[in-house]
Amino acid sequence: MSFLYDTLVQEFGKREIARIPVPNYITDNLKSGFGQRPYQIESFQRYILCHTEDFEGRPNKPFHLLYNMATGSGKTLIMAGLMLYLYEKGYRNFLFFVNSNNIIKKTKDNFLNPQASKYLFNDKIVIDGKEVYIKETDTFESADDKNINIKFTTIQQLHIDLNNTKENSVTYEDFKDKKMVLIADEAHHLVAGTRSGNLFGSWEDTVKKIHESNFDNILLEFTATIDTETAALLNHYQDKVIFKYDLAQFRIDKYSKEINLIRSMYDEQERIIQALILNTYRQELATANNINLKPVILFKAKKTIKESEQNKVNFHHLIDVLSSQTIDEIRNTATVSIVQKAFKFFDIKNISSSEISRRIKSNFRFENCISANNDDEAEKNQLLLNTLEDENNPIRAVFAVQKLNEGWDVLNLFDIVRLYEGQNSGGTNTTVGKTTLSEAQLIGRGARYFPFSLEPGQDKYTRKYDNDPSNDLKILEELYYHTKENSNYISELKKALVLSGIYEDEEKLLTKQLTLKLDFKETEFYRTGQVVYNKKVPKSYNNVKSFADFGVFKRNFSYILSSGIGKMSGVFIVEEETTTEKIESKDIKLSVIPKHIVRFALAQNPFFYFDSLQRYFPNVGSLSNFIDSMDYLGSLEITFNGSKKRLTDITNNDYLLSIQGLLQSIESEIKSNLTEYEGSEYIKEYVHKVFKDKEIKVYKDSERADGQETLVANEPWYVYNANYGTSEEKSFVSMFARRFESLGQKFKDIYLIRNEREIKIIDKLGRAFEPDFILFCKQKKYKELTYQVFIEPKGAHLVAHDKWKEDFLKEIREEERTIKIYTDNYLITGVPFYNNENENEFKKTLEETLNL
């Protein structure tokens, strides 16, 4: 039996799942700053399929579904979106529970406090034209049927309340006549009964009773951890796990920091100082690049709170006596490359050792350090611990044992210092001990990516320097775990990290040097040649002056008036009752409907607030003009359908409801054509400034490990020393080598450059594309003309998925823009995907493109 997430793919296919529309009332009401990542959109699409479609393997009612999603992937955002969806489907009562008071406090802030930095919703939640509020409740007896009612509790307290009934506490009776959505966070704590084979009296039994008290109830569980090794749990989870997005995929998709282990023979104090120096380097480097960053360090004790408290005392003493001599000791003895790089940066910026010491003392003074060990401390400091990224949060160092292994949201943790030595007990040559697994779990929590961008349109939430490991800013995408050198422990920790999916073992990778050939660097083209591309820029709507410019067609909106018209028919009788009432239609211009009704309808929908209208229709001028102008609402009509009597008695409420429907239809049409970014006009840059020597990493024994040197090393037209591309890319280069002679008859200065993510081209919808190769060739005769051709080899299995890229190349080819650069002209063009199976077709198109 397969998991539910596989069943959905088998039944509908990935493409069909991707076509499921996510309603605007989800995306519009979630805080826009969070954005919705592709996997988050898919998580909604999968639920919508389960809720609306019947299929083989669909879970039975009452629904019990589980989201198995990586730490930091936005599980709480998915909860919020599903709450909105289920509200629209008629659910009003939500019960959130988890095993920890700390997580309760954090989640309350996320759901209820609009001033919180991690609040999940927009200022106003509007569904079906009505404002909806999220209200906390203790019992559901006083629940509001117009809004979202949510009770927050720990599973422990819920279990006690339901099984030891007291006055004003929630009871099983509260759940019988109300359909309910139960939301369980850190849900792996709820299966102890299933694991042991005895549900009776367990937390799991309590949740089961609530869930099964109403046929329409829904139980949504969320966890980063599920046990599929235990047979009973494997069977339990199979028909429930609707979506799986694990830490390995999270890292592959570049939403996490990369993990580096900094191990040395330093003693504890020197390890701490080394981490403080790197912390200072990160901050100064970020500031130099206009990135607002306050990096945090976690100091990890081994077992006891007493150890952690002593660590904090020792740390403050170390800060008190810190001096330039202490810094210089590290400067003169550290062999770790990133530490040496930090000191080079300080030298360039004229930051002396005494200044480094002074800044560390200032940043890590007593009041900027916090302990998170016992429950009292963790509760008291919860707000500080969960808002470490906020500008007004002064905390720079956290001291802990185990308290932060679950439910801690932190983006700006960059260093974890292990303040103890030796290998943990419990591990073997083939297994990983419990303590080491716990350390790996903590590292996973710290691996959440700190968002930043250096230019408009750059994705601030994903890693940018995977293919440029020598880039200085890569340190802002890495978490360092500092430990004493111990080969046995390091080996065990690596196993634990690899198992979790957050770590790529360096031993599986090869570092390759990609260098431009010396002969190429001496050419005129390298010195003075240019490469043309464009950038992602915010979408401009300055030319939008009407609905028509946004693809909104002037067709009547149809509205059916409520009436008593109907008929009765028998199940087994063909004949039906006849009715003398006839449905008629009447067109009414929006311009004749009372203005106050139109204004009220606009005020109910945030999309039509004037500041929003000004963004998309910058020429609208005023709300009155938007209502009256024939370019906007003034030209529209509503077709009312109903009996003759109803059509003579259309009420203000009828007008309001019909206008709300019309506005939702307009909003939907506009949004289908919206994009936040677009491609700029072409820009140019010198070839020698764009294409440089670089270091890349490839997997050992992979197709990319072979650099195709036997073919390209001595070819003057291939500018790099090697081609560490895919097999399809190597196939293309082989084909090009065979065709080079025919190109040489017409062109000179023929250069094929592999684009190792140096440039991107951006389409009209703001989508970024990095063509694998750029071909330059200059005409020998006639006018000065250099062809710049974008080329993308593509494996057959990826052609359909990346069709938009091929369409974009086609647009570039059809546009055939010529750009004058000094005395030369550059013709910018592209060709369809190269694939080994369509090689002859590709050759023909390339020759046509180059007018051969």
Side-chain angles (χ1 to χ4, degrees), residues 314-333:
N314 296 344
F315 177 79
H316 291 307
H317 176 71
L318 179 63
I319 294 298
D320 287 342
V321 301
L322 190 68
S323 66
S324 60
Q325 287 80 12
T326 321
I327 302 299
D328 282 335
E329 283 176 19
I330 303 297
R331 180 195 292 270
N332 296 328
T333 58

Side-chain angles (χ1 to χ4, degrees), residues 780-794:
K780 287 181 175 178
K781 298 179 181 177
Y782 314 116
K783 66 175 182 178
E784 293 279 320
L785 182 65
T786 297
Y787 282 79
Q788 178 181 311
V789 189
F790 295 116
I791 299 172
E792 175 80 355
K794 187 68 64 177

